[in-house]
Amino acid sequence: MKKAIFIACAISFLVMSCKEKTNESVTTTEQETAVEKGSSYNVDEVESFVKWTGYHKGGLNPRFGIVKTTGSLSSENNEITGGTFTMDMNSVLTDEKSVDPAISDGKTASDLDVHLKNADFFDVAKYPTSTFSITSVKKLENPSVEATHTVSGNLKIKDKTVNVSFPAKITETENQITLQSKFSINRLDWGLNYVAEGDPKDWIISKDIDLELNIKANKSK
């Protein structure tokens, strides 16, 4: 009986793990950028944002915030043909609700902003922007309420460019395109190490970063 219960629990764990990994991204080498065709749509800088969430090892003490983005999309026959987003790394802003000074040695969200922007991580003085350039957009064979397409693009952070593919929900009307997605990336793919690769201080930070895209783009007049 105990063995049967153990097997059942193991199967349940595997099923839950598979469900949790549906939003993982797939990375590869830099690809050719898609040729933009059709009508142009400008990203609404007020309504659009990229939310990020980082963790300590084991998913503990999540830190989250947003970064502002600009850019444009192009569309022909109700299908996105290309586009580019530019993230202003100087706009990285940690949500105060994710940092409790009482259990963080007195450090605040503002302190984390400074840390993320310095040379330990994004080095915004040298690399003020990150970019995502679409290489392809493909309809899913089995779309869901959460995802209708697979979006692929070259994500450049600092001086490293990696192609990343992820599921996204795309909705398009005559005058607006919305693109929503939640997925994870491995920060090490872009060389984002704390202090230096292999440094013990880097071990306490999870390699996974969750990204949430909420993009609204309005048709150019």
Side-chain angles (χ1 to χ4, degrees), residues 81-215:
T81 59
T84 299
F85 305 139
T86 299
M87 282 71 73
D88 177 7
M89 302 311 294
N90 279 291
S91 74
V92 169
L93 182 66
T94 304
D95 193 313
E96 293 183 356
K97 295 190 293 292
S98 72
V99 182
D100 184 353
I103 59 175
S104 301
D105 298 325
K107 293 181 180 179
T108 65
S110 296
D111 293 327
L112 181 55
D113 289 342
V114 173
H115 190 194
L116 291 173
K117 293 176 184 179
N118 70 25
D120 283 343
F121 281 101
F122 295 111
D123 197 1
V124 299
K126 186 176 181 180
Y127 306 100
T129 62
S130 295
T131 59
F132 179 79
S133 301
I134 292 175
T135 56
S136 70
V137 177
K138 299 178 180 178
K139 283 185 176 180
L140 292 174
E141 292 184 3
N142 299 301
S144 66
V145 294
E146 295 181 347
T148 57
H149 295 73
T150 296
V151 177
S152 301
N154 296 324
L155 177 57
K156 182 178 182 181
I157 302 176
K158 300 174 75 172
D159 54 5
K160 186 71 175 293
T161 302
V162 177
N163 190 270
V164 56
S165 300
F166 52 85
K169 180 179 181 179
I170 297 175
T171 306
E172 185 168 350
T173 64
E174 181 181 355
N175 296 310
Q176 188 178 77
I177 297 174
T178 61
L179 188 157
Q180 298 171 305
S181 181
K182 295 180 180 179
F183 60 97
S184 299
I185 61 172
N186 182 341
R187 61 183 173 83
L188 301 182
D189 288 340
W190 285 267
L192 295 175
N193 302 295
Y194 174 33
V195 183
E197 184 176 1
D199 190 293
K201 293 180 181 179
D202 194 54
W203 298 348
I204 65 172
I205 304 172
S206 172
K207 63 180 178 17
D208 297 319
I209 298 176
D210 293 341
L211 297 178
E212 178 180 332
L213 308 184
N214 287 274
I215 304 297

Side-chain angles (χ1 to χ4, degrees), residues 1-13:
M1 178 64 72
K2 290 182 178 180
K3 184 176 181 180
I5 293 174
F6 174 79
I7 293 174
C9 290
I11 293 174
S12 297
F13 176 78

Side-chain angles (χ1 to χ4, degrees), residues 50-106:
V50 176
K51 180 180 177 181
W52 54 267
T53 304
Y55 306 87
H56 287 81
K57 283 290 186 182
L60 301 175
N61 298 324
R63 303 287 190 253
F64 52 86
I66 61 171
V67 58
K68 294 180 180 179
T69 184
T70 59
S72 65
L73 293 168
S74 58
S75 175
E76 187 174 58
N77 298 322
N78 293 319
E79 289 294 332
I80 294 175
T81 59
T84 299
F85 305 139
T86 299
M87 282 71 73
D88 177 7
M89 302 311 294
N90 279 291
S91 74
V92 169
L93 182 66
T94 304
D95 193 313
E96 293 183 356
K97 295 190 293 292
S98 72
V99 182
D100 184 353
I103 59 175
S104 301
D105 298 325

